[in-house]
Amino acid sequence: MPKSQEQFWLIKAEPETRIVKDVDVKFSIDDLQEQKTTLWEGVRNYEARNNLKQMKVGDLCLYYHSNCKVPGIVGVARVIQQSLVDHSAFDEAHPYYDPKSKPDNPRWFTVQVEFVRKFERLIPLKELQKDPKLKDMVLLKKSRLSVQPTTKDEFEYICSL
């Protein structure tokens, strides 16, 4: 991919069990490592959805564990398919069903990601918040956004920690 087209992201997942509609929605970096690839389905926030639609094959993503005792960045994933319709929105039994999303007029999109690497340690949110090099990072300004851009400098710096 040409340097001018490189994009970097942060994607959030829950590493601990949480049951929604009788389905465990947990998906840790270890789950991704075991499965090798996954569809990044279930995003139901319009800003995060728009970020998903901007992702391109080859983009790298920081993998963030959220909604857990110690949230933080745990590894890296890569986008291997872009701008796919999120079919989980059409399945009434699925935890992320959306009755307003229709196959002929979908509201929600996804990408497929693959495991790249797991960091030797979790980089806790509290550590990121204290680092002046990351003061402008979207994660620290819009902490609830589940899919968000990062800069190349932020990405490379975090990977070096």
Side-chain angles (χ1 to χ4, degrees):
M1 176 177 284
K3 294 282 185 209
S4 63
Q5 293 181 355
E6 285 183 324
Q7 296 182 102
F8 300 89
W9 305 93
L10 181 140
I11 54 177
K12 293 183 178 183
E14 298 181 30
E16 298 172 359
T17 292
R18 185 169 69 90
I19 306 299
V20 178
K21 286 185 160 182
D22 297 323
V23 175
D24 190 351
V25 295
K26 159 194 164 328
F27 199 78
S28 70
I29 189 76
D30 295 325
D31 295 316
L32 180 59
Q33 185 173 15
E34 181 180 319
Q35 291 185 21
K36 310 278 190 261
T37 70
T38 192
L39 288 174
W40 206 256
E41 64 186 10
V43 172
R44 298 295 181 264
N45 168 287
Y46 287 105
E47 185 175 358
R49 179 216 49 198
N50 292 344
N51 288 335
L52 281 171
K53 289 174 76 173
Q54 291 179 43
M55 290 179 162
K56 303 293 182 212
V57 170
D59 287 357
L60 293 172
C61 308
L62 294 168
Y63 199 105
Y64 183 92
H65 279 174
S66 68
N67 199 20
C68 55
K69 187 175 180 180
V70 182
I73 300 172
V74 293
V76 176
R78 177 183 298 111
V79 176
I80 59 172
Q81 285 190 299
Q82 65 192 48
S83 198
L84 305 166
V85 172
D86 185 345
H87 291 277
S88 69
F90 313 136
D91 180 356
E92 291 184 31
H94 197 280
Y96 302 118
Y97 171 66
D98 179 355
K100 294 181 180 176
S101 188
K102 304 294 181 196
D104 60 341
N105 188 20
R107 286 183 170 203
W108 306 112
F109 294 83
T110 186
V111 295
Q112 186 169 23
V113 298
E114 70 179 353
F115 175 83
V116 173
R117 75 178 188 138
K118 180 178 175 179
F119 292 160
E120 291 182 21
R121 69 179 184 100
L122 176 143
I123 304 166
L125 175 60
K126 288 185 187 264
E127 180 180 333
L128 301 169
Q129 290 169 327
K130 292 177 185 175
D131 195 318
K133 291 182 180 178
L134 300 173
K135 67 180 174 45
D136 295 324
M137 190 172 185
V138 173
L139 174 66
L140 306 180
K141 295 176 181 288
K142 291 186 175 183
S143 62
R144 296 192 50 82
L145 189 61
S146 64
V147 177
Q148 52 190 253
T150 65
T151 66
K152 180 179 182 178
D153 288 343
E154 291 164 347
F155 181 89
E156 289 176 347
Y157 176 70
I158 289 168
C159 287
S160 74
L161 295 176

